[in-house]
Structure formats: structure tokens, C-alpha cells
Amino acid sequence: MIEKNTREPFINIWFGNFYKPAFDDKEFVKAGIKMLREMGFNGIQLDSKAWEDFRERFNNGEASDYVAQQEYMMEQCGENGIGYNFMSLYLCADNLYPNIRFSPPIFGESVVNPDGSDGRWYRYWSDKAKDSMTEHLKGLFKTYGDGVSRAEINGREVMPTCTMWDPIVAPSFDEDGRARYLGWLEKNYGSIDKLNSAYHTEFESFSELNKEDYWFTCKYNSLYTKEELDKRSPKALLWADNMKWRIHELCEYFKDMNERIHKLDERIYTMPDMAQWSYFLNIDATQLSNVGLSDLWDTSNRGLDIYKLSKYVDCCNFTAVPITPYGDPDAYVLAAQHSMMRAMNKGREFMGGVYYGRFLYNNIYEFLTPAEIIGSITASGASGYNSYGMCGLDDGGVLHRMDKGFNKSLSIGNEWAKKVIPIIKGERKCPVAILFPSAMSAYEPMGVEGNKERRYDLLGYYKMCSDAGFGCDIISADMIAEGVLKNYKALIIPENDCYFLDNNSAAEEEVRVWVNDGGVVIHSPMDGLVENCFGIKGIYHDKDAFEYVEKGLAQSDLFVSYEGESIAKYLTDGANAAAKNKIGKGAVYSMGFAYGYSFSAKIAPHVPLNQKNNELYPVPLMKNNIVADILRNENIEHSDFCGTNIETAEFDNCIIAVNHTSHPLVLTEKGEKIFQYAVDGTTLMPRSAVLIMK
């Protein structure tokens, strides 16, 4: 995506101005926009959501203090040669800020709380609500359209716009909302008998259900447990149904709104921010004290499947935060999430997304640098990126208060990205696919026992592939059902204990055929898709260490053994801790414990007492990596330029390498090199990136 004024890749940053002095200090705004331009940004995203003072201005009314300041920001963007664009809609027209924004939000039509009060939240399925959203967008472009950001995609002019920020569907407990939900529930189950079987009830028709019967928080005060999930309890199924409905409503909403927005102006490029605080690899919200609505930071509490939403927008985008569920800075979290975005936008250009500033729980940029993060975004194949941000204060966005070293690194990263993105030819080469655990992501919050560890399983597989030089896309089961597996040689399936909630028979048939034709599957224990496809199911095993070339320590929420050709063995009884089964021309490799979690766990395990003084190492410190060895033995294409915490991305004409370590690397690869920090032509500095021409 090339920004038209500068002819550079589009690099965009959110700049709000809720707070004093930014709210009313023109000098702050003037200096801030000048600083952002000097740091390499060529787009400013304005906080221009649907409030009444904007509507008054669209109708030739006086500008409120807030709107006047927005208009001044637009003026300053023009003086600095920067386009501006809009963050136009948010949740519920920003009811979160009644003490900051003094002009009321416009809901169009709001939902009703269980007690009958106004929920102050968009009724996402309402035509009145969507009409109000469309009118707001129409007013923004009619009133302020002359200076908006314009970009080119394959020769076509577009106006990139954040058409929604952090979408979350809320139920409504009036008759319309009840009918809406029960209508979906009846269609989902097909008959009242099937619902009664699932819920352990005896209703004669769906119309008999009251809110306590169909909405989780009206019936229960606590989340379901892992045991209740495994037993398919009514409590767990009720939660899942609520989330499935939310996913359905969001898909319907984005499908309709995308059509409405393109009717306003086909050049409006819909690029909503689907999640403000990462996706799936979010920080555990229980670690955030005194933060409003922090439970919604865990996207599994929201009923959100961004993969499903991707087909209803021009660019599927979210804000990646390079921090783990335990709050530790980790550049591979961002790299993995950009692999997700690349897959969500398969076959089209996409924009990355990143959080800058002082994170609430941890100052992540004390450990990571903006330059290395921009290196990972560029390595993903993104054609630019959105970022957050400037002057948020309540939840970050404090770029104007970051230290000089941070800002210098950010400037260097931006200028490097703008130089190298136009050089890159072709798509990133990714012969390996990792299956995103969509059901677990959508239906199992971090409050369920062991959930964070199960999330780390995906991250660990991604890390070990990156360290070993295997490019990988994180894809969804829906993508598999649509035939995407033909692009890959191997499929890794991390833990997904909720797969039974979303059995995908079409995807299973694709996997079955693909493996018989020569595909390779590597999966974590007790995977439902593999069991359905091939009848491969593990035998429960006590927690144990294992042997693969040498003795190793495993970490997992689940231990099983498998029949088949032995790859690794448990120490106590010699049962298979990993096994291979030939299927047609292909193979299925079954891991008896969560190997990805073992590779990425925060805390290393102790040597078991029954091993006395025998030398055993945790998985990341073992000399041999089972998964990397499998991929090499199966002749899966990979880069020889690789290593622990060395991220490499291969394209048709170049390789991008990102040094995520704290020590410099001496490069021996031939070819012209474009460094973020040019030292002597061969040294890749810590926490930085390089492009190497082939």
C-alpha cells in the first residue's frame, strides 16, 4: 500500500486528544504531528468517533472544543505533508468516556440490560444503529474528505479507514433481542430435543426459554471449569453458544456494513481494528488491576473469530502487542500474530498492527526495540502498518513521553521499512502451516484451568519453526475446508481441547486427502481433528520425562502415549511419547505431550526425584528438537540462515533477518545488505533487522 503524497509505504499512527493539555493545547498538537512526521509516519489516525458534536458540525453547526481541535489536527497534517484518516466507530460510540468526552455518543439504537436499563452499546443487528454509523462516515468524508489519506493498491486509489475499533456484540434483553437470539438458537440446534439433550432441560419449544435459560451471565456467577468442559456440561455448552451467536452477529454486521460503506464511496478501504490488545496470545486480564473492562482484553471473552470476519472487510487487521499471556515481552508473539494476519488476508495486500508505548502491566520496550518489531512486521510481508499510539494515557499511547532511544529506534525502523518494502518481490515462502485453535480461542477464556499453557503450545511451535528456519502461516480450519492445504507441505496442530464444539467435517476431509497424497501432520495430544480423520487417539499416561537422543523434561497439561513407529519414549515404562503412523503417501506424527508449550514455557521444570542425579534438560535446551528434525527428515524446505531467536523470512528476491537476541551476529551470506544499523557491512546488531538480496 503506497501512500500517494509521499510515494512511500503507508505507515500510520493513532493520535487521540482526549486529555488536557493535548485536548486544548495547539502547540502540543503542532509539535506532536511534526515529531511524528520526522519519525517517519505518513498517516495520522484521528479519534473521530460518532458523537453528537460531530453530527452538529456536519450540519453546519459551531465546532465544539473537541471538534475544533480535530480540525486543527487536520490542518497541521496538511502543513506537514501527512494525510489523516479516521478511527470512526468504537464498540458503542465510546460510552467508556463519559467523564472525558462531554458530547453524548450516537448509538442509533442501543441494547437493553437484563434489568431493563439502557446498555449504552450498539445494537449490532439494528438497521437504525447501522444507519447512524453510515451517516457518521458519510459526514466525515463529506466534511473532511479533501485531506484524508489516500493510497494505491495495484494502481487503484483507496482511502484507508478504521471503520470499527474493538467490535464486541452485546445481547439485548428486550423482546427484539430475545427473539433475535432464540431465532439463532433454534436454527443452530434444529430442534428443541437437541437443545434439551445439550442443556439437560425439558422445554417443549424455544419460545419457553427465559434469559436465565439462554444467557450465561444471567444464570451463572462463575466461569465453567476444565472438568465441566471435558464432560460437555450444560454450563460449558451454554457459554459456547453465547459466543457462537456473537461470532455470527459480527459476521452479519461486517458483511452488511462493508456493502453500505462501499456504496458511500467505493474508494473507502475498510480496515477495522478487530482487537486492540492482541488476539489469542493476550495478556491474562487478571494481572491488570483497576483497569476498566479488562476482562474483554482476553478475546475469548468476546465471541470473536477474526479469521471468519476477514472475508467481510478490505483488510483484516488488529493491534499486536509483543507480550505473552504472563506479561513477558516477546517479539515472537508479534511475529506469530502477523503470520495470522498474513493468512487472514491470503491473496491480498495487508497492513500490520502494533502497540507502541508504555504497556500497563510491563514496560515491554525496556526489553524490545521498535526497530526489531518493525523488522518482524516487514518480514511478515505486510505492505505497511497501523500503530497505537499517541496521547492515549489511560491505556498506553504515550509515544510523546517515551525516551530518546526509543524514538530514535522507531525512526530508524520506519525509514528502513519504507526503503525495503518496495524492494521485496513475491510472497513470503511458508511451506509449513500451523492450525489456529479457533474453537479454543473463541470459547475458552484464560480463567479455565490450563488455558494459558494451551495457548503457549501454538506460540512454541511457531518459535521452534522460526528458530529452525521454517516459514509458517497460521491458518484456520475454514481455510483448510476451502482448499488452502495445497500450498503447504506440513501441518502442525497445537492443542485445541474445544475442537468438539466446532467439528469441521469439510476440513477433515481435506486433511485426510492431503495426507494420503503426501502431506505431513504433526499434532499435540488427543487432537479431535486427527482422531476424526485417522482414528488416532492417545492412551492416557502419567506425567513423565522422555528420551529423544537424550533425556528431556516435558511440560504439558496432558500426557498420553501413542501406537506406531516410536520417535520418543517415556522414561518410566518405555511407552511412545511421540510416534509416527504412515497414512498413504504421507504421515501423521503424534506428540504425547504439548511439545510447543514445553518449548515456550516460562518456568523450566525440575529433574524428577526418581531420576536422582541423571542429567535431563527442558525441551528448549535439548540438543535435538523433535519437530525440527521431523520437518528436515521429511525434506520440508527451510532456510539455512537460522538460529535461536533469529527470525528469517525468505521472499523471491531477498531474505529478511531479524536478530531478536541481545548479541550481534556476523553475517557470512553474500548479496547486498540493507541494515537498520549499518556498522561494517557484516554485523547485524542486537534487536535489529537486515534485508539481504539474493
Side-chain angles (χ1 to χ4, degrees):
M1 183 186 293
I2 301 298
E3 201 274 332
K4 287 195 70 174
N5 288 333
T6 61
R7 306 305 303 170
E8 301 169 337
F10 187 47
I11 298 181
N12 197 37
I13 186 164
W14 177 92
F15 188 170
N17 61 339
F18 282 145
Y19 291 92
K20 293 176 178 288
F23 177 77
D24 51 12
D25 185 348
K26 289 187 175 181
E27 288 304 311
F28 171 85
V29 168
K30 183 176 182 179
I33 291 177
K34 182 174 183 292
M35 179 191 80
L36 294 175
R37 181 69 188 101
E38 290 172 348
M39 293 175 70
F41 294 98
N42 51 36
I44 302 291
Q45 187 173 95
L46 300 177
D47 211 302
S48 309
K49 298 188 284 288
W51 293 298
E52 287 186 2
D53 54 357
F54 271 110
R55 182 167 60 185
E56 291 165 3
R57 187 61 165 160
F58 299 157
N59 292 319
N60 299 315
E62 291 293 321
S64 68
D65 290 345
Y66 186 86
V67 171
Q69 189 73 323
Q70 286 262 302
E71 292 176 354
Y72 181 71
M73 295 174 78
M74 298 176 196
E75 176 188 317
Q76 288 302 305
C77 284
E79 291 193 9
N80 284 275
I82 303 178
Y84 55 81
N85 48 90
F86 306 114
M87 191 255 269
S88 55
L89 302 165
Y90 178 32
L91 288 177
C92 43
D94 223 358
N95 67 315
L96 303 177
Y97 299 110
N99 298 316
I100 300 173
R101 287 288 287 113
F102 305 112
S103 178
I106 298 171
F107 297 106
E109 187 173 14
S110 181
V111 299
V112 176
N113 288 326
D115 63 2
S117 61
D118 186 349
R120 293 180 61 78
W121 205 276
Y122 287 137
R123 188 181 294 248
Y124 272 80
W125 59 91
S126 160
D127 283 333
K128 289 181 181 178
K130 288 184 279 192
D131 287 345
S132 74
M133 299 177 196
T134 307
E135 284 301 308
H136 180 62
L137 280 164
K138 181 179 179 180
L140 287 174
F141 281 95
K142 181 179 179 181
T143 309
Y144 304 122
D146 290 345
V148 298
S149 295
R150 285 174 168 78
E152 287 183 6
I153 297 179
N154 298 324
R156 172 187 166 223
E157 181 181 281
V158 298
M159 297 183 291
T161 305
C162 180
T163 49
M164 176 60 76
W165 186 280
D166 243 12
I168 305 174
V169 169
S172 188
F173 294 96
D174 57 353
E175 277 307 307
D176 169 68
R178 179 174 178 272
R180 181 81 179 185
Y181 184 83
L182 292 182
W184 171 85
L185 197 65
E186 182 171 9
K187 185 175 181 180
N188 186 56
Y189 276 94
S191 73
I192 194 65
D193 291 338
K194 288 183 178 179
L195 179 131
N196 283 332
S197 177
Y199 286 12
H200 297 181
T201 51
E202 296 180 351
F203 295 110
E204 293 187 3
S205 70
F206 286 89
S207 62
E208 293 182 16
L209 275 71
N210 294 313
K211 60 180 181 287
E212 295 82 8
D213 302 311
Y214 67 77
W215 199 258
F216 188 92
T217 54
C218 293
K219 184 172 185 177
Y220 299 108
N221 294 319
S222 62
L223 188 60
Y224 64 83
T225 65
K226 181 66 167 73
E227 182 181 10
E228 287 170 326
L229 175 69
D230 291 342
K231 290 183 176 180
R232 280 59 163 171
S233 76
K235 188 175 184 181
L237 296 180
L238 178 58
W239 173 278
D241 283 343
N242 290 175
M243 297 302 160
K244 287 181 181 180
W245 172 76
R246 283 175 153 160
I247 290 169
H248 166 78
E249 289 294 356
L250 275 185
C251 287
E252 292 296 303
Y253 165 81
F254 276 106
K255 182 180 179 180
D256 188 13
M257 282 300 294
N258 217 40
E259 294 174 358
R260 289 170 179 250
I261 292 168
H262 287 154
K263 284 181 181 179
L264 284 181
D265 192 323
E266 63 181 11
R267 295 173 300 169
I268 298 176
Y269 185 77
T270 57
M271 192 165 57
D273 190 303
M274 296 294 189
Q276 179 176 342
W277 300 112
S278 282
Y279 182 48
F280 186 66
L281 296 171
N282 315 75
I283 188 173
D284 183 355
T286 62
Q287 298 187 59
L288 299 170
S289 60
N290 300 317
V291 177
L293 299 180
S294 62
D295 59 314
L296 296 179
W297 289 28
D298 179 357
T299 47
S300 297
N301 282 319
R302 290 174 46 179
L304 182 71
D305 188 330
I306 302 181
Y307 284 90
K308 289 186 184 298
L309 296 175
S310 62
K311 64 181 66 177
Y312 305 119
V313 294
D314 292 327
C315 177
C316 198
N317 182 253
F318 60 88
T319 301
V321 185
I323 195 166
T324 69
Y326 281 111
D328 299 311
D330 191 332
Y332 273 125
V333 169
L334 178 132
Q337 291 180 331
H338 278 78
S339 174
M340 297 175 195
M341 281 186 250
R342 181 172 63 246
M344 292 168 184
N345 293 281
K346 194 76 172 175
R348 63 187 181 191
E349 284 195 33
F350 74 99
M351 293 281 286
V354 61
Y355 169 92
Y356 290 135
R358 171 65 166 88
F359 190 65
L360 276 169
Y361 181 73
N362 201 337
N363 190 356
I364 52 181
Y365 290 105
E366 284 184 343
F367 307 91
L368 308 175
T369 70
E372 72 173 302
I373 292 303
I374 293 169
S376 284
I377 295 172
T378 306
S380 74
S383 59
Y385 73 86
N386 294 305
S387 54
Y388 182 88
M390 179 86 162
C391 200
L393 290 187
D394 61 330
D395 49 16
V398 289
L399 202 63
H400 56 297
R401 291 296 179 92
M402 299 300 285
D403 62 74
K404 292 181 180 179
F406 173 96
N407 289 343
K408 182 65 173 177
S409 176
L410 179 52
S411 299
I412 288 171
N414 280 342
E415 292 306 321
W416 176 84
K418 289 189 292 186
K419 184 175 183 179
V420 304
I421 287 174
I423 294 173
I424 299 169
K425 303 298 181 185
E427 295 183 352
R428 178 170 172 172
K429 295 183 179 180
C430 293
V432 178
I434 298 176
L435 182 60
F436 183 74
S438 297
M440 188 171 78
S441 172
Y443 313 132
E444 187 183 300
M446 289 184 187
V448 177
E449 180 187 1
N451 176 263
K452 288 198 291 291
E453 289 72 23
R454 286 185 284 278
R455 297 191 193 203
Y456 271 82
D457 202 39
L458 179 148
L459 179 61
Y461 281 120
Y462 185 87
K463 281 186 173 184
M464 71 178 71
C465 285
S466 295
D467 286 354
F470 295 93
C472 47
D473 286 335
I474 301 175
I475 65 173
S476 70
D478 287 342
M479 294 175 66
I480 291 177
E482 293 166 0
V484 76
L485 277 182
K486 65 179 180 291
N487 300 316
Y488 304 100
K489 302 297 184 183
L491 174 66
I492 297 174
I493 307 179
E495 283 201 280
N496 182 5
D497 60 334
C498 295
Y499 180 74
F500 71 93
L501 292 168
D502 264 348
N503 283 340
N504 193 320
S505 57
E508 290 167 7
E509 180 59 25
E510 288 287 329
V511 171
R512 189 180 297 111
V513 171
W514 176 77
V515 170
N516 273 282
D517 287 344
V520 174
V521 166
I522 303 169
H523 71 93
S524 280
M526 294 306 221
D527 183 72
L529 186 150
V530 168
E531 183 180 348
N532 291 351
C533 282
F534 308 110
I536 296 174
K537 184 175 182 178
I539 303 165
Y540 286 103
H541 194 281
D542 290 338
K543 182 178 180 180
D544 204 348
F546 69 100
E547 185 168 9
Y548 175 74
V549 183
E550 60 181 334
K551 295 176 181 178
L553 299 170
Q555 287 175 277
S556 183
D557 64 317
L558 181 64
F559 289 80
V560 301
S561 64
Y562 284 97
E563 298 294 326
E565 178 187 340
S566 182
I567 303 297
K569 291 183 177 295
Y570 288 117
L571 295 188
T572 56
D573 59 5
N576 287 338
K580 173 184 178 180
N581 283 281
K582 284 286 293 179
I583 307 289
K585 297 178 182 178
V588 174
Y589 292 86
S590 303
M591 305 301 301
F593 56 92
Y595 196 71
Y597 170 51
S598 292
F599 188 85
S600 57
K602 178 177 181 177
I603 299 173
H606 287 291
V607 176
L609 292 177
N610 63 10
Q611 292 299 315
K612 300 182 180 179
N613 63 342
N614 287 327
E615 186 177 70
L616 281 75
Y617 288 97
V619 166
L621 295 180
M622 293 179 71
K623 292 179 181 178
N624 295 79
N625 182 296
I626 300 175
V627 170
D629 286 352
I630 290 170
L631 294 174
R632 292 191 191 100
N633 292 337
E634 292 286 352
N635 297 313
I636 308 299
E637 179 185 0
H638 65 284
S639 173
D640 291 327
F641 178 18
C642 58
T644 301
N645 290 318
I646 309 300
E647 180 185 359
T648 55
E650 188 170 351
F651 298 89
D652 289 347
N653 65 331
C654 65
I655 294 173
I656 290 177
V658 189
N659 181 3
H660 293 304
T661 76
S662 57
H663 53 79
L665 300 176
V666 177
L667 306 182
T668 59
E669 284 70 23
K670 296 179 180 179
E672 179 188 355
K673 299 175 181 64
I674 302 175
F675 291 91
Q676 289 179 333
Y677 293 89
V679 178
D680 55 13
T682 61
T683 300
L684 178 58
M685 294 296 287
R687 305 288 179 187
S688 71
V690 62
L691 178 141
I692 306 170
M693 298 300 298
K694 291 183 179 178

